Amino acid sequence: MSEQTNPWEKLKAYTDARIALGRTGGSLKTHELLQFRKDHALAKDAVWTEMDIPHLEEGLQDLKLKSLILQSQAESRENYIKRPDLGRKLDENSKQAIRNLKLATSDLSIILSDGLSAQAIALHALPFLQELLPKLSGYSLAPISIVKQGRVAISDEIGELFSSKLAIILIGERPGLSSPYSMGIYLTYNPKAGNTDEKRNCISNIRAGGLPYAYAAEKLAFLTSEALRLKLSGVHLKDTFDHHLLNNESGKN
């Protein structure tokens, strides 16, 4: 009599989700329990790790991009975790630093922020920008903002202070047990303090094993073009990128 295969084992090859873990008596297998503890520790470390600003500054310099270091009103990592509202606002010194530049209106403000996984930005922001920048060659850019202890909504205030038409923030996403270093992107047309989340478009799960840089960059470039053309973003900007991609591919055949 042939041994029956477990159909869950085949499904396990297609996902990082914790399925088909197996049992030893009434408990998880030792390997699975240790893996869970490791992944939990990585997720905790991701939340508490500080952003490597010199690494980002050097990488942006290599890309021939000007940068500006900014700080939210959350003065420490602990303060940032306990007071989400403070991570959505710039401190006064940062506001004044932008005003002192006295720059003309720009098409785009691009912001890098630690969010809930500074390591995600350290790993993904620079290689992603390498893919993205050639696709934005027709647009004027404000200096790239590197924001310490920032949350998504801080992009509104930064974009408004730079008088940019569009704010794009690359931010570390909340770490999960299978993806502690995932980067997200939020795009907002007409950024200004007080905007709410329905005004944003999101591209999520940019990481190894998630969304590839090339695809995410193409998608962001498409949404940027559409947002500036239609003068809107968020729920009113329909994400037709995949349909657009399919049409382009079928046109080549």
Side-chain angles (χ1 to χ4, degrees):
M1 184 175 175
S2 62
E3 185 179 347
Q4 285 189 334
T5 58
N6 184 346
W8 284 98
E9 289 296 333
K10 187 179 291 186
L11 293 174
K12 191 173 182 178
Y14 295 97
T15 178
D16 291 332
R18 283 180 155 74
I19 62 172
L21 300 183
R23 293 278 176 178
T24 300
S27 304
L28 285 175
K29 293 180 178 180
T30 302
H31 167 75
E32 297 293 353
L33 182 59
L34 292 176
Q35 186 64 46
F36 173 83
R37 289 180 176 177
K38 174 189 173 184
D39 291 343
H40 186 254
L42 288 172
K44 286 175 66 177
D45 286 347
V47 170
W48 290 100
T49 298
E50 297 283 347
M51 189 158 56
D52 187 350
I53 291 174
H55 165 71
L56 294 173
E57 284 186 296
E58 184 179 348
L60 292 172
Q61 197 169 28
D62 290 342
L63 293 172
K64 306 292 189 290
L65 294 170
K66 295 178 181 179
S67 61
L68 183 65
I69 310 303
L70 304 173
Q71 170 74 52
S72 78
Q73 292 181 15
E75 297 174 354
S76 67
R77 200 65 186 160
E78 184 174 2
N79 194 219
Y80 173 82
I81 299 299
K82 291 180 177 179
R83 290 286 306 274
D85 57 311
L86 297 181
R88 300 183 185 113
K89 303 171 186 174
L90 288 174
D91 67 9
E92 287 303 319
N93 288 338
S94 296
K95 291 179 188 177
Q96 194 57 48
I98 297 176
R99 294 188 189 108
N100 289 343
L101 293 175
K102 297 180 181 178
L103 297 174
T105 299
S106 58
D107 292 321
L108 310 176
S109 282
I110 297 179
I111 300 118
L112 314 181
S113 184
D114 41 15
L116 288 168
S117 178
Q119 289 160 294
I121 295 301
L123 287 170
H124 307 308
L126 295 173
F128 173 78
L129 286 174
Q130 284 183 306
E131 287 280 352
L132 177 67
L133 290 171
K135 299 171 176 55
L136 301 180
S137 58
Y139 303 115
S140 58
L141 298 179
I144 307 297
S145 301
I146 302 173
V147 186
K148 295 184 283 185
Q149 320 292 10
R151 294 187 182 266
V152 171
I154 206 165
S155 61
D156 293 319
E157 195 168 28
I158 294 169
E160 184 176 23
L161 286 165
F162 274 125
S163 300
S164 297
K165 298 174 185 175
L166 202 67
I168 297 168
I169 185 167
L170 282 56
I171 192 165
E173 294 186 312
R174 180 179 288 106
L177 293 175
S178 60
S179 56
Y181 313 133
S182 181
M183 185 177 78
I185 301 171
Y186 292 82
L187 171 149
T188 312
Y189 181 79
N190 190 24
K192 56 185 178 181
N195 274 350
T196 46
D197 286 342
E198 91 283 353
K199 297 188 184 298
R200 313 185 204 288
N201 293 85
C202 176
I203 303 171
S204 185
N205 196 35
I206 300 165
R207 61 182 178 92
L211 214 59
Y213 300 143
Y215 176 87
E218 287 279 3
K219 189 182 183 77
L220 179 57
F222 173 79
L223 290 173
T224 295
S225 173
E226 288 295 281
L228 292 173
R229 181 177 70 87
L230 298 171
K231 297 181 171 55
L232 48 81
S233 62
V235 296
H236 299 295
L237 178 61
K238 302 307 178 186
D239 183 358
T240 58
F241 174 69
D242 289 324
H243 180 69
H244 165 79
L245 204 61
L246 286 171
N247 283 345
N248 283 350
E249 287 300 317
S250 62
K252 293 175 185 178
N253 296 333

